[in-house]
Amino acid sequence: MTDNFDDLIQDMGVRARKAASRLALATTEEKAAAVRAAAQAMRDNSAAILAANAKDMEKASDLPAAMLDRLKLNADRLAGISDAADSVAGLPDPVGEIIKQWEQPNGLKFERRRVPLGVVGIIYESRPNVTADAGLLCLMAGNAAILRGGSEAVHSNKALHAAIVKGLESVGLPADAVQLMPTQDRGAVGAMLKAAGLIDIIIPR
């Protein structure tokens, strides 16, 4: 079974690295357009996203009230997620920002610029909004993302991820730039943690 998880992460990681190479060269306008298109796709598909969330809520009905509240989406919360995505599109693009410049006595000039991290793995619990927030923040910063959400939010995460993919594809950026883990088995997390050379950084949220 572990070998299967290793193979899964190998496949996802290779595709993510290829997508990251394209994102690293994407213009601010391309990335912002993809994020805005994803936000609009969330609005256009709000009924499907809320129906997916209802499935998650029904399945997780025995969870503590606080966890159910974190999981629940309604029209206002979904509107907040899409509005937050639009806000991400308006953030300054960090890629290429000069953070330090200096000159040697011989006249040789140096500068330090911000560059994308590459492939970011994000592991989080049952908050569907993180799927949109994390995926789109990574995208805007020029990074590919591999998202592993909590099992309680599996249907909600899939529906939100589909909107992100629509946004990417609408401007010609690779769909593999933001991938959602297709399994909730903890073995996949272990495989992510071992994927040095494929995933550059893991962020547990």
Side-chain angles (χ1 to χ4, degrees), residues 146-195:
I146 296 177
L147 308 176
R148 197 280 187 182
S151 58
E152 294 85 1
V154 61
H155 295 100
S156 307
N157 290 339
K158 286 180 180 178
L160 289 165
H161 177 252
I164 296 174
V165 170
K166 286 185 178 180
L168 287 163
E169 293 179 335
S170 72
V171 298
L173 292 177
D176 288 335
V178 180
Q179 298 179 57
L180 182 66
M181 186 69 65
T183 176
Q184 304 306 305
D185 195 296
R186 292 181 183 274
V189 174
M192 288 178 71
L193 296 174
K194 295 187 298 181

CSV table of all heavy atoms in Angstrom, one decimal, residues 146-195:
chain,number,residue,atom,x,y,z
A,146,ILE,N,0.1,21.2,-3.9
A,146,ILE,CA,-0.5,19.9,-3.7
A,146,ILE,C,-1.3,20.0,-2.4
A,146,ILE,O,-0.7,20.1,-1.3
A,146,ILE,CB,0.5,18.7,-3.7
A,146,ILE,CG1,1.2,18.6,-5.0
A,146,ILE,CG2,-0.2,17.4,-3.3
A,146,ILE,CD1,2.2,17.6,-5.1
A,147,LEU,N,-2.6,19.9,-2.4
A,147,LEU,CA,-3.5,20.1,-1.2
A,147,LEU,C,-4.0,18.8,-0.7
A,147,LEU,O,-4.5,18.0,-1.4
A,147,LEU,CB,-4.6,21.0,-1.6
A,147,LEU,CG,-4.3,22.3,-2.3
A,147,LEU,CD1,-5.6,23.0,-2.7
A,147,LEU,CD2,-3.5,23.2,-1.4
A,148,ARG,N,-3.9,18.6,0.6
A,148,ARG,CA,-4.4,17.4,1.3
A,148,ARG,C,-5.3,17.9,2.4
A,148,ARG,O,-4.9,18.3,3.5
A,148,ARG,CB,-3.3,16.6,1.8
A,148,ARG,CG,-3.7,15.1,2.1
A,148,ARG,CD,-4.4,15.0,3.4
A,148,ARG,NE,-4.7,13.6,3.8
A,148,ARG,CZ,-5.3,13.3,4.9
A,148,ARG,NH1,-5.7,14.2,5.8
A,148,ARG,NH2,-5.5,12.0,5.2
A,149,GLY,N,-6.6,17.9,2.1
A,149,GLY,CA,-7.6,18.4,3.1
A,149,GLY,C,-8.1,17.3,3.9
A,149,GLY,O,-7.8,16.1,3.7
A,150,GLY,N,-8.9,17.7,4.9
A,150,GLY,CA,-9.4,16.7,5.9
A,150,GLY,C,-10.5,15.8,5.2
A,150,GLY,O,-11.2,16.3,4.3
A,151,SER,N,-10.7,14.6,5.8
A,151,SER,CA,-11.7,13.7,5.2
A,151,SER,C,-13.1,14.2,5.3
A,151,SER,O,-13.9,13.9,4.5
A,151,SER,CB,-11.5,12.3,5.8
A,151,SER,OG,-11.7,12.4,7.2
A,152,GLU,N,-13.4,15.0,6.4
A,152,GLU,CA,-14.7,15.4,6.6
A,152,GLU,C,-15.2,16.4,5.5
A,152,GLU,O,-16.4,16.5,5.2
A,152,GLU,CB,-14.9,16.1,7.9
A,152,GLU,CG,-14.6,15.2,9.1
A,152,GLU,CD,-13.2,15.1,9.5
A,152,GLU,OE1,-12.3,15.7,8.8
A,152,GLU,OE2,-12.9,14.3,10.4
A,153,ALA,N,-14.3,17.0,4.8
A,153,ALA,CA,-14.6,18.1,3.8
A,153,ALA,C,-14.4,17.6,2.4
A,153,ALA,O,-14.2,18.4,1.5
A,153,ALA,CB,-13.9,19.3,4.1
A,154,VAL,N,-14.3,16.3,2.2
A,154,VAL,CA,-13.9,15.8,0.9
A,154,VAL,C,-14.7,16.3,-0.3
A,154,VAL,O,-14.2,16.7,-1.3
A,154,VAL,CB,-13.8,14.2,0.9
A,154,VAL,CG1,-15.1,13.6,1.2
A,154,VAL,CG2,-13.2,13.7,-0.4
A,155,HIS,N,-16.0,16.3,-0.2
A,155,HIS,CA,-16.9,16.7,-1.3
A,155,HIS,C,-16.8,18.2,-1.5
A,155,HIS,O,-16.7,18.7,-2.6
A,155,HIS,CB,-18.3,16.3,-1.0
A,155,HIS,CG,-18.6,14.8,-1.0
A,155,HIS,ND1,-18.7,14.2,0.2
A,155,HIS,CD2,-18.7,13.9,-1.9
A,155,HIS,CE1,-18.8,12.9,0.0
A,155,HIS,NE2,-18.9,12.7,-1.3
A,156,SER,N,-16.7,19.0,-0.4
A,156,SER,CA,-16.6,20.4,-0.5
A,156,SER,C,-15.3,20.8,-1.2
A,156,SER,O,-15.2,21.7,-2.1
A,156,SER,CB,-16.6,21.1,0.9
A,156,SER,OG,-17.8,20.7,1.6
A,157,ASN,N,-14.2,20.1,-0.8
A,157,ASN,CA,-12.9,20.4,-1.3
A,157,ASN,C,-12.8,20.1,-2.8
A,157,ASN,O,-12.2,20.9,-3.6
A,157,ASN,CB,-11.8,19.6,-0.6
A,157,ASN,CG,-11.6,20.1,0.8
A,157,ASN,OD1,-11.9,21.3,1.1
A,157,ASN,ND2,-11.0,19.3,1.7
A,158,LYS,N,-13.4,19.0,-3.2
A,158,LYS,CA,-13.5,18.7,-4.7
A,158,LYS,C,-14.2,19.7,-5.5
A,158,LYS,O,-13.7,20.1,-6.6
A,158,LYS,CB,-14.1,17.3,-4.9
A,158,LYS,CG,-13.2,16.1,-4.4
A,158,LYS,CD,-14.0,14.8,-4.7
A,158,LYS,CE,-13.1,13.6,-4.3
A,158,LYS,NZ,-13.8,12.3,-4.5
A,159,ALA,N,-15.3,20.2,-4.9
A,159,ALA,CA,-16.1,21.2,-5.7
A,159,ALA,C,-15.3,22.5,-5.8
A,159,ALA,O,-15.3,23.2,-6.8
A,159,ALA,CB,-17.4,21.4,-5.0
A,160,LEU,N,-14.7,23.0,-4.7
A,160,LEU,CA,-13.9,24.2,-4.7
A,160,LEU,C,-12.7,24.0,-5.6
A,160,LEU,O,-12.3,25.0,-6.4
A,160,LEU,CB,-13.5,24.6,-3.3
A,160,LEU,CG,-14.6,25.1,-2.4
A,160,LEU,CD1,-14.2,25.1,-1.0
A,160,LEU,CD2,-15.1,26.5,-2.9
A,161,HIS,N,-12.1,22.9,-5.6
A,161,HIS,CA,-10.9,22.6,-6.4
A,161,HIS,C,-11.3,22.7,-7.9
A,161,HIS,O,-10.5,23.2,-8.7
A,161,HIS,CB,-10.3,21.3,-6.1
A,161,HIS,CG,-9.1,20.9,-7.0
A,161,HIS,ND1,-9.2,19.9,-7.9
A,161,HIS,CD2,-7.9,21.4,-7.1
A,161,HIS,CE1,-8.0,19.9,-8.6
A,161,HIS,NE2,-7.2,20.8,-8.1
A,162,ALA,N,-12.4,22.2,-8.2
A,162,ALA,CA,-12.9,22.2,-9.6
A,162,ALA,C,-13.0,23.7,-10.1
A,162,ALA,O,-12.7,23.9,-11.3
A,162,ALA,CB,-14.2,21.5,-9.8
A,163,ALA,N,-13.4,24.6,-9.2
A,163,ALA,CA,-13.5,26.0,-9.6
A,163,ALA,C,-12.1,26.6,-9.9
A,163,ALA,O,-11.9,27.4,-10.8
A,163,ALA,CB,-14.2,26.8,-8.5
A,164,ILE,N,-11.1,26.2,-9.1
A,164,ILE,CA,-9.8,26.6,-9.3
A,164,ILE,C,-9.2,26.1,-10.6
A,164,ILE,O,-8.6,26.9,-11.3
A,164,ILE,CB,-8.9,26.2,-8.1
A,164,ILE,CG1,-9.3,26.8,-6.8
A,164,ILE,CG2,-7.4,26.5,-8.4
A,164,ILE,CD1,-8.6,26.3,-5.6
A,165,VAL,N,-9.5,24.9,-10.9
A,165,VAL,CA,-9.0,24.3,-12.2
A,165,VAL,C,-9.6,25.1,-13.4
A,165,VAL,O,-8.9,25.4,-14.3
A,165,VAL,CB,-9.4,22.8,-12.3
A,165,VAL,CG1,-9.1,22.3,-13.7
A,165,VAL,CG2,-8.5,22.0,-11.3
A,166,LYS,N,-10.9,25.5,-13.3
A,166,LYS,CA,-11.5,26.2,-14.3
A,166,LYS,C,-10.8,27.6,-14.5
A,166,LYS,O,-10.6,28.1,-15.6
A,166,LYS,CB,-13.0,26.5,-14.0
A,166,LYS,CG,-13.9,25.2,-14.2
A,166,LYS,CD,-15.4,25.5,-14.0
A,166,LYS,CE,-16.2,24.3,-14.3
A,166,LYS,NZ,-17.7,24.6,-14.1
A,167,GLY,N,-10.5,28.2,-13.4
A,167,GLY,CA,-9.8,29.5,-13.4
A,167,GLY,C,-8.4,29.3,-14.1
A,167,GLY,O,-8.1,30.2,-15.0
A,168,LEU,N,-7.7,28.3,-13.8
A,168,LEU,CA,-6.4,28.1,-14.4
A,168,LEU,C,-6.5,27.8,-15.9
A,168,LEU,O,-5.8,28.5,-16.7
A,168,LEU,CB,-5.7,26.9,-13.8
A,168,LEU,CG,-5.1,27.1,-12.4
A,168,LEU,CD1,-4.9,25.7,-11.7
A,168,LEU,CD2,-3.8,27.9,-12.4
A,169,GLU,N,-7.4,27.0,-16.3
A,169,GLU,CA,-7.6,26.6,-17.7
A,169,GLU,C,-8.1,27.8,-18.5
A,169,GLU,O,-7.8,27.9,-19.7
A,169,GLU,CB,-8.5,25.4,-17.8
A,169,GLU,CG,-7.9,24.1,-17.2
A,169,GLU,CD,-8.8,22.9,-17.3
A,169,GLU,OE1,-10.0,23.1,-17.4
A,169,GLU,OE2,-8.3,21.8,-17.3
A,170,SER,N,-8.9,28.7,-17.9
A,170,SER,CA,-9.5,29.8,-18.6
A,170,SER,C,-8.4,30.7,-19.2
A,170,SER,O,-8.7,31.4,-20.2
A,170,SER,CB,-10.5,30.5,-17.8
A,170,SER,OG,-9.8,31.3,-16.8
A,171,VAL,N,-7.2,30.8,-18.6
A,171,VAL,CA,-6.2,31.7,-19.0
A,171,VAL,C,-5.0,30.9,-19.6
A,171,VAL,O,-3.9,31.5,-19.8
A,171,VAL,CB,-5.7,32.6,-17.9
A,171,VAL,CG1,-6.9,33.5,-17.5
A,171,VAL,CG2,-5.1,31.9,-16.7
A,172,GLY,N,-5.1,29.6,-19.8
A,172,GLY,CA,-4.1,28.8,-20.4
A,172,GLY,C,-3.0,28.4,-19.4
A,172,GLY,O,-1.9,27.9,-19.9
A,173,LEU,N,-3.2,28.5,-18.1
A,173,LEU,CA,-2.2,28.0,-17.2
A,173,LEU,C,-2.5,26.5,-16.9
A,173,LEU,O,-3.7,26.1,-16.9
A,173,LEU,CB,-2.2,28.8,-15.9
A,173,LEU,CG,-1.7,30.2,-16.0
A,173,LEU,CD1,-1.9,31.0,-14.7
A,173,LEU,CD2,-0.3,30.3,-16.5
A,174,PRO,N,-1.5,25.7,-16.5
A,174,PRO,CA,-1.8,24.3,-16.3
A,174,PRO,C,-2.6,23.9,-15.1
A,174,PRO,O,-2.5,24.5,-14.0
A,174,PRO,CB,-0.3,23.7,-16.1
A,174,PRO,CG,0.5,24.9,-15.7
A,174,PRO,CD,-0.1,26.1,-16.3
A,175,ALA,N,-3.6,23.0,-15.4
A,175,ALA,CA,-4.5,22.6,-14.3
A,175,ALA,C,-3.7,21.9,-13.1
A,175,ALA,O,-4.1,22.0,-12.0
A,175,ALA,CB,-5.5,21.6,-14.8
A,176,ASP,N,-2.5,21.3,-13.5
A,176,ASP,CA,-1.7,20.7,-12.4
A,176,ASP,C,-1.1,21.7,-11.5
A,176,ASP,O,-0.4,21.2,-10.5
A,176,ASP,CB,-0.7,19.8,-13.1
A,176,ASP,CG,-1.2,18.6,-13.7
A,176,ASP,OD1,-2.3,18.1,-13.3
A,176,ASP,OD2,-0.6,18.0,-14.7
A,177,ALA,N,-1.2,23.0,-11.7
A,177,ALA,CA,-0.6,23.9,-10.8
A,177,ALA,C,-1.2,23.9,-9.4
A,177,ALA,O,-0.6,24.2,-8.4
A,177,ALA,CB,-0.8,25.3,-11.4
A,178,VAL,N,-2.5,23.5,-9.3
A,178,VAL,CA,-3.1,23.3,-8.0
A,178,VAL,C,-3.8,21.9,-8.1
A,178,VAL,O,-4.8,21.7,-8.8
A,178,VAL,CB,-4.2,24.3,-7.7
A,178,VAL,CG1,-4.8,24.1,-6.3
A,178,VAL,CG2,-3.5,25.7,-7.7
A,179,GLN,N,-3.3,20.9,-7.3
A,179,GLN,CA,-3.8,19.6,-7.3
A,179,GLN,C,-4.4,19.3,-5.9
A,179,GLN,O,-3.8,19.7,-4.9
A,179,GLN,CB,-2.7,18.6,-7.6
A,179,GLN,CG,-2.1,18.7,-9.0
A,179,GLN,CD,-1.0,17.7,-9.3
A,179,GLN,OE1,-1.2,16.5,-9.2
A,179,GLN,NE2,0.2,18.2,-9.6
A,180,LEU,N,-5.4,18.5,-5.9
A,180,LEU,CA,-6.0,18.0,-4.7
A,180,LEU,C,-5.8,16.5,-4.5
A,180,LEU,O,-6.0,15.7,-5.4
A,180,LEU,CB,-7.5,18.3,-4.7
A,180,LEU,CG,-8.4,17.9,-3.5
A,180,LEU,CD1,-8.0,18.8,-2.3
A,180,LEU,CD2,-9.9,18.1,-3.8
A,181,MET,N,-5.3,16.1,-3.3
A,181,MET,CA,-5.0,14.7,-3.1
A,181,MET,C,-6.3,13.9,-3.2
A,181,MET,O,-7.3,14.2,-2.7
A,181,MET,CB,-4.5,14.6,-1.6
A,181,MET,CG,-4.0,13.2,-1.3
A,181,MET,SD,-2.5,12.7,-2.2
A,181,MET,CE,-1.4,13.9,-1.5
A,182,PRO,N,-6.2,12.8,-4.1
A,182,PRO,CA,-7.5,12.1,-4.3
A,182,PRO,C,-7.8,11.0,-3.3
A,182,PRO,O,-8.8,10.3,-3.4
A,182,PRO,CB,-7.1,11.4,-5.7
A,182,PRO,CG,-5.6,11.2,-5.6
A,182,PRO,CD,-5.1,12.4,-4.9
A,183,THR,N,-7.0,10.9,-2.2
A,183,THR,CA,-7.2,9.9,-1.2
A,183,THR,C,-7.1,10.6,0.2
A,183,THR,O,-6.3,11.6,0.3
A,183,THR,CB,-6.2,8.7,-1.3
A,183,THR,OG1,-6.5,7.9,-0.1
A,183,THR,CG2,-4.8,9.2,-1.2
A,184,GLN,N,-7.8,10.1,1.1
A,184,GLN,CA,-7.8,10.7,2.5
A,184,GLN,C,-7.0,9.8,3.4
A,184,GLN,O,-6.9,10.1,4.6
A,184,GLN,CB,-9.2,10.8,3.0
A,184,GLN,CG,-10.1,11.7,2.2
A,184,GLN,CD,-9.5,13.0,1.9
A,184,GLN,OE1,-9.1,13.8,2.8
A,184,GLN,NE2,-9.4,13.4,0.6
A,185,ASP,N,-6.4,8.7,2.9
A,185,ASP,CA,-5.6,7.8,3.7
A,185,ASP,C,-4.3,8.5,4.2
A,185,ASP,O,-3.7,9.3,3.5
A,185,ASP,CB,-5.2,6.6,2.9
A,185,ASP,CG,-4.7,5.5,3.7
A,185,ASP,OD1,-3.6,5.6,4.4
A,185,ASP,OD2,-5.3,4.4,3.7
A,186,ARG,N,-4.0,8.3,5.5
A,186,ARG,CA,-2.9,9.0,6.1
A,186,ARG,C,-1.6,8.6,5.5
A,186,ARG,O,-0.5,9.2,5.6
A,186,ARG,CB,-2.9,8.7,7.6
A,186,ARG,CG,-4.0,9.3,8.4
A,186,ARG,CD,-3.9,9.1,9.9
A,186,ARG,NE,-5.0,9.6,10.6
A,186,ARG,CZ,-5.1,10.9,11.0
A,186,ARG,NH1,-4.0,11.7,10.8
A,186,ARG,NH2,-6.1,11.3,11.7
A,187,GLY,N,-1.6,7.4,4.8
A,187,GLY,CA,-0.4,7.0,4.1
A,187,GLY,C,0.1,7.9,3.1
A,187,GLY,O,1.3,8.1,2.8
A,188,ALA,N,-0.8,8.7,2.5
A,188,ALA,CA,-0.5,9.7,1.5
A,188,ALA,C,0.3,10.8,2.1
A,188,ALA,O,1.2,11.4,1.5
A,188,ALA,CB,-1.7,10.2,0.8
A,189,VAL,N,0.0,11.2,3.3
A,189,VAL,CA,0.7,12.2,4.0
A,189,VAL,C,2.1,11.8,4.3
A,189,VAL,O,3.1,12.6,4.1
A,189,VAL,CB,0.0,12.6,5.4
A,189,VAL,CG1,0.8,13.6,6.2
A,189,VAL,CG2,-1.4,13.1,5.1
A,190,GLY,N,2.3,10.6,4.7
A,190,GLY,CA,3.7,10.1,4.9
A,190,GLY,C,4.5,10.1,3.6
A,190,GLY,O,5.7,10.5,3.6
A,191,ALA,N,3.8,9.8,2.5
A,191,ALA,CA,4.5,9.8,1.2
A,191,ALA,C,4.9,11.3,0.8
A,191,ALA,O,5.9,11.5,0.3
A,191,ALA,CB,3.6,9.2,0.1
A,192,MET,N,4.0,12.2,1.1
A,192,MET,CA,4.3,13.6,0.9
A,192,MET,C,5.5,14.1,1.7
A,192,MET,O,6.4,14.8,1.1
A,192,MET,CB,3.1,14.5,1.3
A,192,MET,CG,1.9,14.5,0.4
A,192,MET,SD,0.5,15.5,1.0
A,192,MET,CE,1.2,17.1,0.7
A,193,LEU,N,5.6,13.7,2.9
A,193,LEU,CA,6.7,14.1,3.8
A,193,LEU,C,8.0,13.5,3.3
A,193,LEU,O,9.1,14.1,3.6
A,193,LEU,CB,6.4,13.7,5.2
A,193,LEU,CG,5.2,14.3,5.9
A,193,LEU,CD1,5.0,13.7,7.3
A,193,LEU,CD2,5.4,15.8,6.0
A,194,LYS,N,8.0,12.4,2.6
A,194,LYS,CA,9.2,11.8,2.1
A,194,LYS,C,9.6,12.3,0.7
A,194,LYS,O,10.6,11.8,0.1
A,194,LYS,CB,9.1,10.3,2.1
A,194,LYS,CG,8.9,9.7,3.5
A,194,LYS,CD,8.9,8.1,3.4
A,194,LYS,CE,7.8,7.6,2.5
A,194,LYS,NZ,7.8,6.1,2.5
A,195,ALA,N,8.8,13.1,0.1
A,195,ALA,CA,9.0,13.4,-1.4
A,195,ALA,C,10.0,14.6,-1.6
A,195,ALA,O,9.7,15.5,-2.3
A,195,ALA,CB,7.6,13.8,-2.0
